[in-house]
Amino acid sequence: GAVVSQHPSRVICKSGTSVKIECRSLDFQATTMFWYRQFPKQSLMLMATSNEGSKATYEQGVEKDKFLINHASLTLSTLTVTSAHPEDSSFYICSAPSTKAGYNEQFFGPGTRLTVL
Amino acid sequence: AQKVTQAQTEISVVEKEDVTLDCVYETRDTTYYLFWYKQPPSGELVFLIRRNSFDEQNEISGRYSWNFQKSTSSFNFTITASQVVDSAVYFCALRRGTGTASKLTFGTGTRLQVTL
């Protein structure tokens, strides 16, 4: 398969600070990556589509100034939660559509669990 | 608009029982893909199967089998002889078109608990 990594896997921060989460495609290039948020016992909700070299596309209701996305290279997208508050505590998951031959699905990172105190 | 419905929120079975997880979808597209993912307690999504809209053949992979019926817009997942390690949340998802860069629409998930 294809490998997508996320860093950090777990982060605890104080209210008001900013947190950056990295998503990397390790063995393929990804011009598009997706960012999801998952609250406990709920489904994955798409937050935004990250596009390499251009602005991200945010889903309705997602604050773009709150969740900054930067897709700086073909293997790296970052999500920065700015001025985090306890309600931002969640499980954040990224995915990347595989460009490897023979694969026709998105590959998911292991997720980042954010806790804002 | 696309929609995926997993009506079963939680299912509890005893080990070795068979269990079927239901998935019903809505789409106006003629070309689409359906997926099942497993999310164990660790949180990482595990890909189980992909099925395109033109392939209605059922598939079996070990203890797992999938039944795709376009007439009822359903893509159900059966685990035969369930095991404790099958305990997880299972998500059904829908993707329009053939491009992998298209968005996935997830169902709400079914939490499966397999006990001894």
Side-chain angles (χ1 to χ4, degrees):
Chain A
V3 182
V4 175
S5 70
Q6 274 184 250
H7 178 79
S9 58
R10 193 177 289 268
V11 57
I12 301 172
C13 68
K14 292 182 179 180
S15 187
T17 60
S18 293
V19 175
K20 180 185 284 188
I21 302 170
E22 292 185 349
C23 177
R24 292 181 186 273
S25 55
L26 298 184
D27 56 352
F28 65 100
Q29 294 183 334
T31 56
T32 300
M33 290 184 175
F34 297 96
W35 286 97
Y36 297 85
R37 180 168 54 183
Q38 186 181 29
F39 292 109
K41 297 192 175 184
Q42 294 190 23
S43 187
L44 283 76
M45 297 302 297
L46 180 65
M47 299 175 65
T49 303
S50 173
N51 304 299
E52 189 270 334
S54 64
K55 291 182 179 180
T57 305
Y58 290 82
E59 296 299 301
Q60 194 171 14
V62 177
E63 300 174 59
K64 57 183 68 175
D65 294 331
K66 172 77 171 176
F67 299 99
L68 300 179
I69 291 173
N70 183 23
H71 198 140
S73 75
L74 288 172
T75 59
L76 173 64
S77 174
T78 60
L79 168 67
T80 301
V81 184
T82 61
S83 187
H85 288 95
E87 58 265 30
D88 298 322
S89 298
S90 188
F91 191 54
Y92 292 87
I93 307 172
C94 71
S95 73
S98 174
T99 54
K100 295 177 75 172
Y103 293 95
N104 191 357
E105 64 258 15
Q106 293 182 23
F107 288 88
F108 287 82
T112 297
R113 196 165 300 281
L114 170 64
T115 303
V116 184
L117 303 176
Chain B
Q2 303 197 105
K3 186 178 179 181
V4 177
T5 300
Q6 293 180 258
Q8 304 150 306
T9 306
E10 293 191 33
I11 300 176
S12 185
V13 299
V14 177
E15 202 175 40
K16 297 183 183 177
E17 286 185 5
D18 299 346
V19 59
T20 296
L21 309 182
D22 298 333
C23 173
V24 174
Y25 63 93
E26 295 175 32
T27 181
R28 293 182 178 179
D29 296 332
T30 54
T31 302
Y32 53 89
Y33 279 83
L34 294 162
F35 301 82
W36 275 95
Y37 289 90
K38 174 182 180 180
Q39 188 177 41
S42 65
E44 184 163 2
L45 281 169
V46 177
F47 166 77
L48 296 178
I49 190 172
R50 174 189 70 247
R51 173 66 72 223
N52 75 54
S53 53
F54 299 106
D55 182 3
E56 285 194 73
Q57 278 194 340
N58 292 330
E59 181 156 339
I60 298 174
S61 176
R63 296 184 298 106
Y64 295 170
S65 62
W66 291 269
N67 181 278
F68 175 30
Q69 294 198 352
K70 286 180 77 170
S71 60
T72 55
S73 296
S74 65
F75 186 42
N76 296 337
F77 172 32
T78 297
I79 302 175
T80 303
S82 60
Q83 299 176 1
V84 173
V85 293
D86 295 327
S87 298
V89 180
Y90 291 85
F91 291 98
C92 180
L94 170 68
R95 191 189 79 206
R96 66 189 318 177
T98 56
T100 57
S102 297
K103 301 176 190 179
L104 278 173
T105 299
F106 283 89
T108 50
T110 296
R111 184 176 299 274
L112 175 64
Q113 184 73 40
V114 183
T115 57
L116 293 171

